[in-house]
Each structure stands twice: as structure tokens, then as C-alpha cells.
Amino acid sequence: MSFVSRNQKGTNGTYTFSSRPRPVENRSKYREKQTEKAEKAHSTYGNIMYDRRVIRGNTYAQRFLSTMVQEDLAEMQRQQELRRRAIAQKNKTKEQLRSSTPEAVQGRKHNVVQTELYLEELSYNIELSHIECQTDPLLDRPATPLFIPAKSGKDVATQIEDGELFDFDREVQPLLEVLIGKTIEQSLLEVMEEEELACLRAQQRAFQELRNAELAEVQRLQEQERRHREEKERRIAQQREALRMEKETVEKIAARAYTQQYLADLVPTVFQSLRIHGFFYDPVEKDIETNFFPWLMAEVNSKLEKRNAARQLLDTLIHDVAQKKLPLYTNLETRPEK
Amino acid sequence: MFTPVARQRLPGEQLKTIRTKADRVTSLTPRRRSRRTVAPPDRRTLDISEMTGVHIDPSRAPVAFGRLAIPELFAQLVEPDAARRLRALASLCDLTHDPERLYQVVSEGFLDQLEVLLKDGDAAVRTRTCELLHLVTSHNIARQALLSSPLLARLSQLLDDPSPLCRTRAHRVMNSLALLPAGAKALQALVPKLMLKLQEEQEEKEEEVQALLLSTLSCCSRLDAAPALSHRGVTLIGRKLSHACSNIRREAAGAMMALSVIVIAMSQVCEAAVLPVLADLLRDQDVDVQANAAGAIMNTVVITTGKHQCLELDVLPVLLELLSQRKPDVEEEQRRKALVLYSLRALTSLAEAPEGRRRLLLQLPLLVGRSEPPEEDADIRRAARTAVNVVTWTP
């Protein structure tokens, strides 16, 4: 809100003033203290019509500011008196100020006289004349005649003949077509939709039936397959079992035969080997072998040893002698050569 | 046909204005709803819209024109007033029958806003939202979007809702989702909960919910039957086989058929003495129930125990009788096709047992008759030929 008021000196020296219209602030009824005034932050703007400085309503009979609302009766009378006195005084002063004719000379009296051309009798009595009038009480009031305004302008008449305006049958055709067409179209759409849905349902049903039947078939075949397979497996297992038993039997027989054959030779071999190892012996022979012969051999051995020892001694003796005689003989051998 | 003729105004006559109730009503754009503009009473001309009268359905929110309709309605869904939300939902339900609008809903990602509504305090709002979701699942893009959004978890919580109508609707949505293979895969995680629900539902008499539940279970089990089996599927479903309502019987037999593809299930079925019940169902009135029962039997007789039990129960003549029946009506024949097919397969499996083979050899002409060209359907012919082969097999 900018308070723009411009006072300008015009181009030819005239004074102009213009200001933007601005709202009037609300003034409180009573004067505020200085501190409060300074603190007034937001001033409210009031209606200009309620401002004390603006005169509302009819100003023709306005002679004083009518701001007093509640007043005492006495108060009002007193004020009226005051006003009257003021006015009277004003009038008096006005009269005094007005210049009047000078006073009459002594012995003469001023008199008011008419000086116009035609004299008038001035009096306060008003001429009255009485005239009476009375309606006849029994006379009926006649009906007011119909007010027909005077004819003005030209009379013009018109008449619509047959076929001039429009032909209903022809005009209504497109309307009807559209109305009925649209309705039928809409209903057809709905019916078709329902039919479509019904068709879809029927198709779904048929499909489901087929599917169920085929599913049952599949299940049956599956079951059959399963049964067959199980049967087959059982049979195969049985067969395998039989084969295994047979094989086992054959092996058993073979093993038996072989064992028999092997063991046939067993007893003589055992005896043979025992005999070889000397388990069956002649006790005398054994005794001779174990006791006699070692002693014999030992005796023989010792005898021989003795002989041997003696011979060895002799040998050594001979050797020693020979040794001692060796240098002699060698000396002998060399001397003769000389 | 008349043509309109303008009559000259006679002296003293004034144009009469036709004042209808329509004069006092506004035009229906939601933007101006707060300020009612009343037509001045001395209007000499009328709008077409006012002449035709206004049809306001108090249970539906007003719909904006063109492509703003859906966003406006979704914007109204977050208002605190439950009645307003209900009305907006009602209008949405009406609009989503149109595929273009549906596409708009899905492509602009409004489906996620429905998640908040599913947690709403008001049961009517939840029910309507489920209905909306059900309408939405009739299209593929919406199904894909649903499967990839967290709405699925919220839906599964709704299965425990106190309001029965809400539960029914939620089940319907699940069912329509389960018909899609991707949906069935996504719902696999929910199978334990569904089995629990099945157990609980025995106390209540909600037939539609049971039927939907069983249908969902059979769809999921077609993909993978293991979860349902591990939660005592055979016993629970076996109990439903003898229910009074034919819908439930049909769905239960279908679920049994889907379950008994696994070998373990087959042995469970034989142990749990379900086969006699199935054999009874073969004599049921409803063709679909018969077909499903025949299918379940066909799956079970693959294992030897099943074969022996069935032969003991004397199922063979019943199956042969079903085979020999020929309805004159082509439509009926179409519906019976499943029945005939399953019976043939069941007979094939039974023919692998020596006892069965012996008996079927006596009935060979019947089977041969089904495998010949007088039979229109190629699938039936093929199945009959396999049956004949098996019966006449010698080691």
C-alpha cells in the first residue's frame, strides 16, 4: 500500500493534487496513551461510511452533527434552549448590523405603505368558500370497460397452410431412425455380449469335458503302464532269483566234485609225507643212531685227533730242525763253490 | 397426420402458459445441485427437457455426461454420508454394464478406490461394492486388474462378513474369478480358508453360497488338487454329495472329480466309502449330476481298489444303461455327451480287471455300436473304440 499523493506544480503554474484512494484507518473512540500508540502494530481499516467525519444520509436538514446517541430528556431540552438562544442572538446581531432607515423626526411617525401600482389589501383572513360533494350511495359502479388501446400500426395476418411448414412424416423419419437404431444397437450389443459369454462358457465346458475324459484315459493308461511295469519287474526279479539259485546249485555241485577228487589223494600223501619226515621209525635203529653212533664217532674222532696231534708235533719238530739246519746247508752250498 | 397450425390470437385472449411441476425442478448436473434455480412463473417458452418430465430415481445418484461420469461418481464415493455412497454405487453398477465405461474404470485405475469401500462400516455399501466387482469380472481386463491388485486379500476377508448377502456376493466374485486359470492360480492360496468355510457352512443353510464355494474349489483343484486334499477335501466334499439341492450335488460331484485325479485321492475315496454315494448319484434326475458322478467314478476306478469296489457295487449295469440311452433331441444329446464320454472311460478302466472284462465281453455289441459312424460325435467314437480295444485285449 503506497500512499501516493502528488502535489505538483502544473506546467502553467497551477497546483494539482492527486492521491490514490486509500482506506481509512479505524480510530478508537478514546484517546490512547502514548505508549500504547507507539506499540500499535496492526491498524485495522474501517468502513468509510462509519467514520465520524463522513456524513451519511440526507444532508438537507442537517444543521448539527448528530453524534449524540443517548441523552437525557432534560439535557436535550437544555440544549434546544441553548440553540434557540444562540439563533435569537444571531438574528439580533444580524438585525443590528443590517442598515435600516433612520429614526423618525420628532413629531412624525413612520408608517408602512404599499407603493406598488395596484394596491392590495393585506389581511390575515383567508377567504374561504365551502363546497360540498357527495356521491350517490345507491348508484352501482359500472364495470370498467375493457381497455382496448387505440389501434396503431398495420394489421398483418398469416395462415400456415398444409404442407408449408414441414412434413411430419418426412421429418420424423431420421429422428425415429436414430432413436430406434441406437436402442436396437445397444440391445444387440448387450445380447451379443451375453451370447459371447455363453459361447465362451459352452466352449469352456466342452473343453473341460474333453479334458476330463482324456485325463481319465491318461490316468488309466498310466496306471496300466505302472501295473505292467511292476509286473515286469516282478517277473524279472523272479527270473533273476531263479537264475541265481541255479547258478548256486551248479557251483555247489562243481565244488563238491572237485573237493572229492582233491581229497581222494589226500590220505596216502599224508602218510607218505609223514613217512618222509620220519615219523614212523624203528626205535632200536633210532636208539643206535642217536646214542651209539655219536659216541662211536666221538671216540674215533678223539683217537684220530690224538694221532693227528702227534703227527703235527712231529711235523713241527722236523720243521724246526730243518729250519735250523737250513743256514748251515746254505753255507755249505756257498763254500764249496769257492 | 396433422400439421401444426398457428392460430391467430383472438382479441382478449392471452397465451396460456403451461405450468407443470417441471417448472420447479432444476436441470440435473451435480455441480448446480446446491442452488436450485426455479423457473420464473411467467415464462412463455419451455425447454424440451422440462416438457418431458424428469425421471429421478431416488436410489441412484445423478450421472454426469460423457467421460466425466465415472470420475464424478468415484469422487462421490469418498463422501462421509453412507446414503450418498450407496446411491453413487448404484449408478456405477448401472453404468458398468457398458464395456466402454468399464474400460474407463479399469484403465484409469479406479478399482483401487473400491478397496476402501470394501472395509466400509455399512453392510449395504459392501454388498453393492461386491456386486460392482462381480459385474466388472465379466471382462478380461478387469479380471487381470483385479488379480494384480490388493483387492483379492480384502475380498477374502469379506468372506467372514456378518451380512449374508455380502458373503454371497463375495463368493460370486470369487467364483467368476476362479473360472480363469490365472485366477484359479491366484486363489490357490485361499483354498485352506475355503475348505474351512465349507466345514462351517454345514451348520448354515445357505445353498447358493455352498454351491459357489464348491464350484470355486473345483476350479482351483483342477489346477492343483493338493491343497484341497491336504485339508481333508475328500471327507468334506463327500458329505455334500448327498445334499438335497441338486446344484450342490452337481458342484460337489464336480469337485470330487477334480480332486480324484491324484492317486492319493483315489485311495482316499475308496477308503472313505464315497463310491456307494457316487453310484447312487448315477441314478439322479439331473444330467449334470449324473455326468459329474460318472466323471468321479471314472477317475477313481483307475486304481485296482476302485475297480474292485465298483464291481462289487454293481456299477457296471448302470453305466451300460446310461450308455444305451439315446435321447431324440439333439440338445439333450449335447448335454449328455459328457455323461456318455465319462461312462465310456469308466467302462474302459473297469475292463482292465478280469471280472469286468468278462462281463463286458458279453456287452460288446453295445460298445461297438457307439464306435461306429451312426454316432455323430468323433470324441465318443474314439472313446468307444478304445473301450472295445481294451475289452478284447488278450495277453
Side-chain angles (χ1 to χ4, degrees), chain A residues 201, chain B residues 134 137 143 155 168-180 183-184 187 208 211-219 251:
Chain A
R201 288 272 161 85
Chain B
H134 179 58
T137 51
R143 278 196 292 256
L155 258 180
T168 322
R169 295 259 164 87
H171 274 291
R172 251 189 240 157
V173 179
M174 292 243 142
N175 194 32
S176 48
L177 273 182
L179 289 172
L180 187 69
L187 288 177
E208 193 186 347
L212 285 169
L213 200 52
L214 285 165
S215 165
T216 319
L217 275 172
S218 55
C219 290
E251 296 299 337

Side-chain angles (χ1 to χ4, degrees), chain A residues 298-317:
Chain A
E299 289 298 313
V300 165
N301 215 18
S302 72
K303 271 253 170 30
L304 282 176
E305 281 270 334
K306 276 184 200 157
R307 260 196 215 161
N308 208 20
R311 281 197 191 142
Q312 253 187 346
L313 194 64
L314 191 65
D315 275 342
T316 12
L317 274 174

Side-chain angles (χ1 to χ4, degrees), chain B residues 12-230:
Chain B
E13 201 181 28
Q14 280 178 347
L15 262 187
K16 278 204 220 134
T17 56
I18 309 167
R19 290 180 50 186
T20 60
K21 260 195 280 185
D23 281 355
R24 301 208 173 273
V25 185
T26 71
S27 54
L28 292 182
T29 53
R31 256 175 274 119
R32 279 200 273 144
R33 217 178 342 159
S34 50
R35 276 180 278 120
R36 285 185 161 249
T37 57
V38 180
D42 59 346
R43 279 238 314 244
R44 297 295 170 93
T45 54
L46 294 165
D47 280 343
I48 292 274
S49 59
E50 283 165 326
M51 277 199 286
T52 52
V54 178
H55 305 285
I56 308 182
D57 187 353
S59 68
R60 301 249 189 296
V63 170
F65 184 75
R67 65 179 172 85
L68 275 182
I70 300 275
E72 277 278 346
L73 285 172
F74 269 99
Q76 285 179 27
L77 285 180
V78 294
E79 282 179 21
D81 183 20
R84 292 263 273 268
R85 277 183 298 196
L86 203 57
R87 285 167 60 193
L89 275 172
S91 311
L92 268 176
C93 284
D94 283 341
L95 282 180
T96 41
H97 281 107
D98 181 14
E100 293 291 322
R101 303 262 192 215
L102 206 142
Y103 179 71
Q104 191 183 10
V105 167
V106 173
S107 59
E108 291 178 25
F110 285 119
L111 279 180
D112 296 327
Q113 291 187 25
L114 291 178
E115 187 187 344
V116 180
L117 281 177
L118 283 175
K119 284 186 285 200
D120 199 86
D122 189 16
V125 171
R126 285 197 300 263
T127 319
R128 273 286 185 192
T129 320
C130 285
E131 197 181 315
L132 184 62
L133 283 174
H134 179 58
L135 283 171
V136 145
T137 51
S138 57
H139 286 266
N140 194 27
I141 31 163
R143 278 196 292 256
Q144 306 281 3
L146 256 186
L147 284 174
S148 54
S149 77
L151 276 172
L152 216 54
R154 195 62 67 211
L155 258 180
S156 59
Q157 282 175 8
L158 269 184
L159 289 178
D160 303 317
D161 199 82
S163 149
L165 196 59
C166 193
R167 276 200 301 262
T168 322
R169 295 259 164 87
H171 274 291
R172 251 189 240 157
V173 179
M174 292 243 142
N175 194 32
S176 48
L177 273 182
L179 289 172
L180 187 69
K185 199 151 78 160
L187 288 177
Q188 285 286 344
L190 280 176
V191 168
K193 178 151 185 184
L194 291 174
M195 295 304 299
L196 212 65
K197 280 268 138 197
L198 195 62
Q199 206 174 2
E200 287 171 13
E201 291 286 348
Q202 292 189 356
E203 288 90 45
E204 300 181 34
K205 302 294 175 191
E206 293 263 317
E207 293 185 349
E208 193 186 347
V209 172
Q210 286 192 30
L212 285 169
L213 200 52
L214 285 165
S215 165
T216 319
L217 275 172
S218 55
C219 290
C220 290
S221 308
R222 259 180 231 138
L223 213 61
D224 183 12
L229 259 184
S230 56

Side-chain angles (χ1 to χ4, degrees), chain A residues 146 148 155-169 172 186 189-190 193-194 197 200-201 204-228, chain B residues 1-8 12 97-99 138-139 143 176 179-181 222-223 257 260-263 266 288 298-299 302-304 307 334-335 337-338 341-342 345 348-350 352-353 379 382 386 390 393:
Chain A
L146 203 59
I148 300 171
D155 268 340
V156 178
T158 176
Q159 174 80 353
I160 298 181
E161 306 289 341
D162 261 339
E164 260 183 31
L165 208 52
F166 62 85
D167 180 16
F168 181 71
D169 292 337
V172 90
Q186 185 70 19
L189 269 176
E190 288 178 11
E193 241 191 63
E194 283 176 19
L197 271 176
L200 283 174
R201 288 272 161 85
Q204 201 179 31
R205 237 172 74 113
F207 171 73
Q208 284 291 346
E209 286 166 10
L210 260 180
R211 180 180 175 272
N212 287 335
E214 293 305 317
L215 200 62
E217 183 67 16
V218 163
Q219 296 280 51
R220 182 186 72 83
L221 287 172
Q222 234 175 27
E223 186 69 24
Q224 200 185 37
E225 189 62 37
R226 190 186 64 87
R227 273 202 320 263
H228 285 182
Chain B
M1 277 293 189
F2 68 92
T3 48
V5 169
R7 198 160 51 90
Q8 193 179 9
H97 281 107
D98 181 14
S138 57
H139 286 266
R143 278 196 292 256
S176 48
L179 289 172
L180 187 69
R222 259 180 231 138
L223 213 61
M257 180 163 65
S260 48
V261 168
I262 301 189
V263 182
M266 290 183 216
D288 290 322
M298 138 186 111
N299 275 329
V302 169
I303 58 170
T304 347
K307 283 202 244 276
Q334 285 278 40
R335 287 187 67 194
K337 178 183 163 181
L341 213 53
Y342 296 160
R345 294 280 185 219
T348 320
S349 302
L350 280 173
E352 294 196 339
D379 303 316
R382 204 177 50 213
T386 352
V390 171
W393 178 80

